[in-house]
Amino acid sequence: DQQVKQNSPSLSVQEGRISILNCDYTNSMFDYFLWYKKYPAEGPTFLISISSIKDKNEDGRFTVFLNKSAKHLSLHIVPSQPGDSAVYFCAASPHNNNDMRFGAGTRLTVKP
Amino acid sequence: EAGVAQSPRYKIIEKRQSVAFWCNPISGHATLYWYQQILGQGPKLLIQFQNNGVVDDSQLPKDRFSAERLKGVDSTLKIQPAKLEDSAVYLCASSLELGGSNYGYTFGSGTRLTVV
């Protein structure tokens, strides 16, 4: 069962523009949401997270927005840089439970 | 701080053979996870250890997969016998504490297994 869905397998944006990656989830028990970034031949690296008590968390060029009523979160990268080109995974887990579920990933390509 | 170490990086075996993967988590990280990532999909949790005890192995195909974490540090994941559908990247991750969700996990580079 796919409890975390990333419906866009790929996204291409121009350098300097905003990248918006989307993620939907179905399990209302999810309490923590995370984004991971993955380069080829490397493991995913933690990027940013958000707790369900917040609707926005910002870290430099990266902002995650959470809409609990819609069970939707998004990652905004602005401005996008060529080095941001990677696969981005959305992940979610219930409170105090480490059963973290991942989406299938979105491949972001930032063109110079 | 050294990262999560995994070996081997690549492995090719024939179906019905056995294979083992090794993981050394970040020093001091109590929680260790094994994930399976099939091409085109997100990582799927196979098993989670807290120190040397199993917290969750509900998604581990126990008829062919086994894992252990002796002494609460290194861990090995074994497949015996392998099937074609086991071809995937096997990722090991660790976190400082149970419930490390706020801070994410640290993943190793993975072992890419090809079963032919």
Side-chain angles (χ1 to χ4, degrees), chain A:
Chain A
D1 68 11
Q2 249 194 312
Q3 297 185 31
V4 180
K5 297 180 183 179
Q6 294 177 256
N7 293 319
S8 298
S10 63
L11 174 69
S12 181
V13 299
Q14 207 67 35
E15 180 179 6
R17 298 289 187 100
I18 185 171
S19 296
I20 300 176
L21 296 99
N22 293 303
C23 177
D24 297 294
Y25 61 96
T26 58
N27 190 339
S28 57
M29 297 301 292
F30 287 146
D31 231 12
Y32 291 98
F33 305 89
L34 306 92
W35 285 94
Y36 284 83
K37 176 179 178 179
K38 185 183 182 304
Y39 292 118
E42 295 182 12
T45 55
F46 170 72
L47 189 58
I48 192 169
S49 67
I50 188 167
S51 163
S52 61
I53 62 174
K54 296 185 176 180
D55 55 18
K56 176 183 175 182
N57 188 25
E58 190 173 352
D59 183 4
R61 297 184 297 113
F62 303 90
T63 303
V64 56
F65 295 92
L66 175 63
N67 182 335
K68 290 188 292 293
S69 61
K71 292 191 177 66
H72 177 83
L73 64 155
S74 60
L75 174 68
H76 292 210
I77 307 173
V78 56
S80 301
Q81 299 173 355
D84 296 329
S85 297
V87 176
Y88 289 78
F89 290 101
C90 171
S93 70
H95 181 61
N96 284 340
N97 183 314
N98 286 269
D99 186 9
M100 187 175 291
R101 303 294 177 116
F102 285 79
T106 296
R107 181 178 301 278
L108 173 67
T109 303
V110 180
K111 297 180 179 179

Side-chain angles (χ1 to χ4, degrees), chain B residues 4-7 21-25 32-34 73-76 92-93:
Chain B
V4 175
Q6 288 189 249
S7 68
F21 313 126
W22 173 82
C23 173
N24 187 348
L32 183 147
Y33 316 82
W34 282 102
V73 182
D74 294 8
S75 177
T76 55
C92 178

Side-chain angles (χ1 to χ4, degrees), chain B residues 49-115:
Chain B
F49 293 94
Q50 175 73 2
N51 295 312
N52 61 348
V54 175
V55 175
D56 181 3
D57 63 357
S58 57
Q59 298 186 84
L60 186 74
K62 298 181 187 65
D63 58 334
R64 297 183 303 105
F65 286 64
S66 64
E68 60 182 10
R69 190 182 183 199
L70 300 177
K71 301 180 183 178
V73 182
D74 294 8
S75 177
T76 55
L77 175 69
K78 297 179 182 178
I79 307 175
Q80 182 179 13
K83 293 185 175 181
L84 295 176
E85 58 260 36
D86 298 331
S87 295
V89 175
Y90 290 85
L91 294 162
C92 178
S94 69
S95 65
L96 189 60
E97 59 190 18
L98 197 66
S101 301
N102 278 354
Y103 316 101
Y105 304 160
T106 302
F107 281 88
S109 297
T111 296
R112 180 176 295 278
L113 173 67
T114 302
V115 183

